Amino acid sequence: MPHICHSTAWPQKKLCYENCRYMNRRKFVQQSALGAGSFLIMSDLFAKPKGKTYGYNGMQYTLDTAWSKANPTMYPVNDCHEMVQDKHHRILLLTNETKNNVLIYNTKGKLLDTWGHDFPGAHGLTLHTENGTEYLYITDTAKHQVYKTTMDGKILMTIDPPMDIGIYKKKEEFVPTETCIDENGDIFIADGYGAQYILQYDSSGKLKNHFGGRGDGDMHLDNAHGICFDRRTPQTTLLITDRTRNCFKRFTLGGDLQDVIHLPGACVCRPVIHGDHLYAAVLRSPDLNATGTGFVTILDKDNKVVSNIGGSEPKYVDGKLQPMSQTDKLFVHPHDVCVDRDENLYVAQWASGKVYPYKLKRV
């Protein structure tokens, strides 16, 4: 009930009026603070993640297996191989289903567009920006070729097997799995299912160099499945997968071996760098004979494993990483990880029952 002043003298009425105004303002501030506090509490409650979280050391996620809203009868997938995010925040998925080789989503899983019928061995998908325009590079393991395309699928360049360098006796021996493109337009191709060489081309598709290849010793490769540039250090290097040997290998751009990042128990696919972290899908664990397994691994800027999603907690003894393994049956043969601008992850899976990608939301 409001206070009523009965005094007729102005000084007293003024004092009474000021007191009333002070009391009303104080009450309003208290009620507003209470309301704001309640709102913050409710907001915090609603912000808490739903469902179980996976991962370790602050790199934890919730799992959404129904992220894709695409109709599988209209837009089927076979093997979901790789994913990238473009400058419009769209997520592009590459599958070797020729009814729609590329499916384009928004981050909420709504299907926006599809294209592509000509890549029966669609495997590697790389996004590269050239003079402000984005392009895609696709490797096809069935056609033994690499393609540069526009974002809507127009083929601009085709790289055929390099038959004149004395490595390949027939084109079928060249089975490219991945590419990465340098700032000057140079194209590095990993022949991960073929002769295990890394081949460097200029922007027009002319071969400049090759290194690696199958063989014993750390300078050689076995299942060189993925490749990317590592620009986290002053000197840009190449990180290359050696999946059979459970490791990534660091090379100079000229092909000199610098380092081996051992990942015991993890048959890793391509390395994906986002910020200071390195992400990778682990196809199988502990080796390629372990069917139906896999998890996602995350390394910090020093290339130490800090988290495994669906896998064992990373442990180091005397600086040596202990063998890792799948602990939660979240994935079946995860093949690639895409990291969006909010640090959520999208996981494409190979030979997993033709399922769409899963989303891991950062907690």
Side-chain angles (χ1 to χ4, degrees):
M1 178 180 293
H3 174 73
I4 300 174
C5 181
H6 297 284
S7 174
T8 56
W10 168 242
Q12 287 82 4
K13 287 183 72 70
K14 181 179 180 183
L15 179 62
C16 186
Y17 171 77
E18 292 296 333
N19 286 338
C20 287
R21 191 167 69 169
Y22 170 77
M23 293 300 294
N24 288 336
R25 183 168 66 247
R26 183 179 178 185
K27 186 175 180 181
F28 172 77
V29 170
Q30 288 174 335
Q31 290 176 337
S32 298
L34 246 141
S38 300
F39 175 78
L40 288 172
I41 291 170
M42 291 303 293
S43 297
D44 184 59
L45 285 174
F46 283 120
K48 289 182 179 178
K50 298 178 181 178
K52 184 177 178 180
T53 60
Y54 301 92
Y56 307 92
N57 301 315
M59 303 293 286
Q60 294 170 291
Y61 305 82
T62 57
L63 177 65
D64 182 2
T65 60
W67 168 75
S68 171
K69 307 303 185 293
N71 184 338
T73 60
M74 296 177 63
Y75 307 103
V77 294
N78 189 24
D79 299 310
C80 292
H81 275 136
E82 294 192 343
M83 307 176 75
V84 296
Q85 185 177 35
D86 69 8
K87 64 182 178 182
H88 302 294
H89 300 191
R90 303 181 307 169
I91 304 293
L92 284 75
L93 164 70
L94 182 70
T95 173
N96 52 6
E97 170 55 70
T98 54
K99 290 182 180 179
N100 38 233
N101 282 129
V102 175
L103 282 71
I104 304 174
Y105 294 90
N106 66 16
T107 55
K108 294 182 178 179
K110 179 182 177 182
L111 187 65
L112 304 176
D113 199 3
T114 68
W115 57 261
H117 310 285
D118 302 317
F119 308 116
H123 187 277
L125 181 67
T126 303
L127 182 71
H128 176 65
T129 301
E130 181 182 322
N131 297 323
T133 301
E134 292 183 315
Y135 298 94
L136 296 172
Y137 287 77
I138 295 173
T139 66
D140 192 307
T141 57
K143 297 173 76 172
H144 310 280
Q145 292 173 315
V146 177
Y147 307 91
K148 177 183 179 181
T149 78
T150 61
M151 295 300 289
D152 57 1
K154 180 182 178 182
I155 295 176
L156 303 175
M157 179 173 63
T158 301
I159 298 177
D160 294 311
M163 302 304 297
D164 57 350
I165 60 175
I167 295 173
Y168 304 96
K169 296 180 180 179
K170 52 184 179 179
K171 71 174 186 178
E172 288 78 13
E173 294 176 345
F174 177 64
V175 194
T177 52
E178 189 60 73
T179 63
C180 64
I181 295 80
D182 205 353
E183 294 172 344
N184 66 355
D186 278 7
I187 305 160
F188 290 81
I189 300 174
D191 184 17
Y193 289 161
Q196 307 302 314
Y197 280 90
I198 306 302
L199 302 111
Q200 180 184 2
Y201 293 79
D202 67 15
S203 59
S204 65
K206 181 180 179 181
L207 186 65
K208 296 173 64 173
N209 187 29
H210 62 277
F211 61 90
R214 185 178 286 106
D216 296 326
D218 287 341
M219 73 288 297
H220 295 289
L221 300 162
D222 191 9
N223 204 185
H225 187 271
I227 185 171
C228 79
F229 293 106
D230 190 349
R231 306 187 194 277
R232 294 175 297 172
T233 55
Q235 187 69 37
T236 299
T237 55
L238 289 166
L239 285 180
I240 299 169
T241 305
D242 196 330
R243 189 160 69 180
T244 304
R245 297 177 177 133
N246 291 178
C247 66
F248 290 125
K249 293 180 176 179
R250 183 186 304 281
F251 288 84
T252 66
L253 301 190
D256 295 323
L257 179 70
Q258 289 192 323
D259 187 23
V260 179
I261 304 168
H262 294 284
L263 300 167
C267 297
V268 284
C269 296
R270 76 160 161 178
V272 176
I273 293 176
H274 181 89
D276 285 336
H277 288 90
L278 168 61
Y279 303 77
V282 176
L283 185 78
R284 290 179 174 177
S285 176
D287 55 48
L288 289 175
N289 295 318
T291 59
T293 59
F295 55 94
V296 171
T297 190
I298 305 173
L299 289 70
D300 65 13
K301 62 181 179 180
D302 298 315
N303 295 318
K304 301 294 184 184
V305 178
V306 293
S307 189
N308 289 319
I309 316 302
S312 55
E313 183 176 3
K315 294 181 180 179
Y316 285 82
V317 177
D318 296 329
K320 185 177 181 181
L321 179 63
Q322 300 304 292
M324 302 180 289
S325 63
Q326 184 188 63
T327 55
D328 297 283
K329 195 72 173 179
L330 306 184
F331 310 109
V332 176
H333 309 136
H335 193 272
D336 190 38
V337 179
C338 174
V339 189
D340 72 15
R341 286 163 176 78
D342 296 318
E343 297 189 354
N344 302 309
L345 312 182
Y346 305 82
V347 181
Q349 299 178 81
W350 169 82
S352 56
K354 301 184 179 183
V355 298
Y356 288 116
Y358 295 166
K359 181 174 182 176
L360 291 163
K361 187 174 182 180
R362 179 79 183 269
V363 176

